Amino acid sequence: MKAHDGMYIGGAWRPAEGRDTIAVVNPADEQVIAQVPAGTAADVDAAVRAARAAFPGWAATPPAGRAARLAALRDVLAARAEEIAATITAELGSPLRLSQTVHAGVPVLVAGSYAELAATYAFEEKLGNSTVLHEPVGVVGAITPWNYPLHQIVAKVAPALAAGCTVVLKPAEDTPLTAQIFAEATEEAGIPAGVFNLVTGLGPVAGQALAEHPGVDLVSFTGSTAVGRSIGATASGAVKRVALELGGKSANVILPGADLAKAVNVGVANVMSNSGQTCSAWTRMLVDAERYEEAVALAAAAVAKYVPGERIGPVVNAKQQARVRGYIEKGIAEGARLVAGGPDSVQETGFYVRPTVFADVTGDMTIAQEEIFGPVLSILRYEDEEDALRIANGTVYGLAGAVWAADDERAVAFARRMETGQVDINGGRFNPLAPFGGYKQSGVGRELGPHGLAEYLQTKSLQF
């Protein structure tokens, strides 16, 4: 697509207030593919004012009307799926097949789920002698990351619109082209002017201005825990609501008796998908001592199939490439056994990182504690189930995880004791209605399904 040279505010593309631009770089070949405007505080202010002006009318729109617009948005996204997939491959570097099935496909499911929820959600309920109203919170400032550029937009914007809120979106500077397509899609879907607004720009400038703006009632942010803390502090000063989906260091626990080959292969695929740039990735594989070396061998064989430039793409930029390589070097320095991959270059051009597997990782190592956000798997040994639970819960994060056992009952019993927001049991399938979000420093609030919709509502009670 041809990049827009302005911001989408109040239902129209308008020139940016400043002259600075951001280069969009293809991570696979390091070529600049577009330039987009770097938004300023003035751009953010204009967008928030447009959202505020549109809020009363959109909030008063009957749920069936909001549902119809979301259904139309779903249909537009589905019709433009090939264009969206090609754009994400160009600006994120993901293999085209992944872009088609996950990056372009999943947001269609999520948008459709909110079209249905908008029509069926109980926005009013009786409680004794009270009528309880669930009303839109107001103007939402949505700040989204680059790793799943369309999914993260839809996971915030769709429930906000279903609730009756209006939105100002500040997408990641690495992947703004997908956000521009989404803005076009909202217009094609007949969403009224000002209900959705887009400001491209840098986090410390446009993102900070959006988080601080007094006209924003709720900030929904997905990204690093460090930035999430800053946004939370900013919002608390204004007594402003936040929804924060932050980092993860999820455990893939393989209990004795589980199908080891399946658990290892699925676990490796989970970590390597999207070049390891997934906050919920199961980056720590926990295996009992008796079958540990067998699991290591299976993981090494599985990761060999992920050929950079073919089955696995680059990471998003040079900074991320250096960061991930630094963690690999740290793992080696701290005594982990390098089973596959390593920190050396894959090829001269492109921000590629070798798919890497470490064995003999202990829970206190840096690579077992910190989020790497790259194609790096750590395999840890445990002695018994209590030891496995201690290791699984032994980080500051609690976003996701997996448990494998010979039967679901045993896996569920273990999963109930895990300090994490979502657990897959014996390879459980993705559910777009299931709440997604973290315990501990993995965030505040939930996305997806009815729990995601509730984040954008506030409660009023009428007594009779």
Side-chain angles (χ1 to χ4, degrees), residues 45-261:
D45 182 64
V48 173
R49 289 178 184 276
R52 284 241 76 91
F55 174 66
W58 184 246
T61 301
R66 300 199 296 264
R69 292 306 98 216
L70 284 166
L73 178 61
R74 172 202 60 203
D75 294 343
V76 173
L77 294 176
R80 298 184 66 171
E82 289 301 318
E83 176 193 3
I84 290 168
T87 300
I88 291 174
T89 290
E91 63 181 353
L92 180 62
S94 62
L96 183 58
R97 184 177 178 183
L98 180 69
S99 294
Q100 292 168 331
T101 57
V102 176
H103 288 293
V106 171
V108 173
L109 293 176
V110 174
S113 74
Y114 279 113
E116 295 179 11
L117 277 168
T120 59
Y121 193 84
F123 290 100
E124 293 189 17
E125 60 181 319
K126 292 290 187 180
L127 190 62
N129 65 306
S130 300
T131 296
V132 179
L133 309 179
H134 300 286
E135 300 180 332
V137 71
V139 174
V140 173
I143 304 173
T144 56
W146 45 260
N147 60 326
Y148 289 92
L150 184 60
H151 170 65
Q152 294 289 353
I153 290 171
V154 172
K156 297 183 187 304
V157 176
L161 299 190
C165 297
T166 54
V167 179
V168 177
L169 170 68
K170 204 299 285 185
E173 51 264 34
D174 292 288
T175 54
L177 304 182
T178 302
Q180 290 189 344
I181 294 177
F182 181 81
E184 294 174 353
T186 64
E187 190 170 29
E188 290 180 51
I191 292 172
V195 171
F196 172 81
N197 307 273
L198 170 67
V199 175
T200 55
L202 301 175
V205 180
Q208 185 70 16
L210 186 58
E212 292 176 347
H213 200 290
V216 171
D217 301 292
L218 181 151
V219 180
S220 180
F221 168 79
T222 296
S224 72
T225 297
V227 176
R229 287 195 196 100
S230 175
I231 288 174
T234 297
S236 67
V239 196
K240 185 180 301 186
R241 285 175 56 178
V242 295
L244 305 174
E245 198 267 282
L246 307 176
K249 195 68 186 175
S250 302
N252 180 19
V253 182
I254 306 174
L255 296 176
D259 184 334
L260 185 64

Side-chain angles (χ1 to χ4, degrees), residues 288-316:
D288 62 282
E290 185 176 339
R291 297 191 298 174
Y292 185 80
E293 290 302 334
E294 182 183 356
V296 170
L298 287 167
V303 82
K305 300 174 184 177
Y306 289 84
V307 179
E310 296 177 14
R311 193 171 177 181
I312 189 169
V315 294
V316 71

Side-chain angles (χ1 to χ4, degrees), residues 225-385:
T225 297
V227 176
R229 287 195 196 100
S230 175
I231 288 174
T234 297
S236 67
V239 196
K240 185 180 301 186
R241 285 175 56 178
V242 295
L244 305 174
E245 198 267 282
L246 307 176
K249 195 68 186 175
S250 302
N252 180 19
V253 182
I254 306 174
L255 296 176
D259 184 334
L260 185 64
K262 182 178 180 181
V264 170
N265 282 311
V266 173
V268 169
N270 176 278
V271 174
M272 298 301 149
S273 179
N274 209 41
S275 303
Q277 299 169 130
T278 304
C279 53
S280 58
W282 310 333
T283 52
R284 296 180 297 144
M285 181 180 291
L286 280 55
V287 186
D288 62 282
E290 185 176 339
R291 297 191 298 174
Y292 185 80
E293 290 302 334
E294 182 183 356
V296 170
L298 287 167
V303 82
K305 300 174 184 177
Y306 289 84
V307 179
E310 296 177 14
R311 193 171 177 181
I312 189 169
V315 294
V316 71
N317 55 37
K319 181 180 179 180
Q320 186 67 13
Q321 181 189 47
R323 181 177 186 272
V324 176
R325 286 178 175 172
Y327 273 110
I328 296 172
E329 292 169 350
K330 187 76 168 177
I332 294 170
E334 291 186 357
R337 175 171 32 126
L338 186 64
V339 175
D344 52 312
S345 298
V346 176
Q347 55 196 53
E348 291 185 5
T349 304
F351 306 126
Y352 290 93
V353 174
R354 292 190 183 278
T356 298
V357 176
F358 280 109
D360 299 341
V361 178
T362 58
D364 59 346
M365 289 183 178
T366 303
I367 59 172
Q369 287 291 321
E370 298 184 11
E371 185 178 44
I372 298 173
F373 227 61
V376 182
L377 170 65
S378 296
I379 309 180
L380 295 87
R381 181 187 288 105
Y382 67 82
E383 298 302 324
D384 54 31
E385 287 194 24

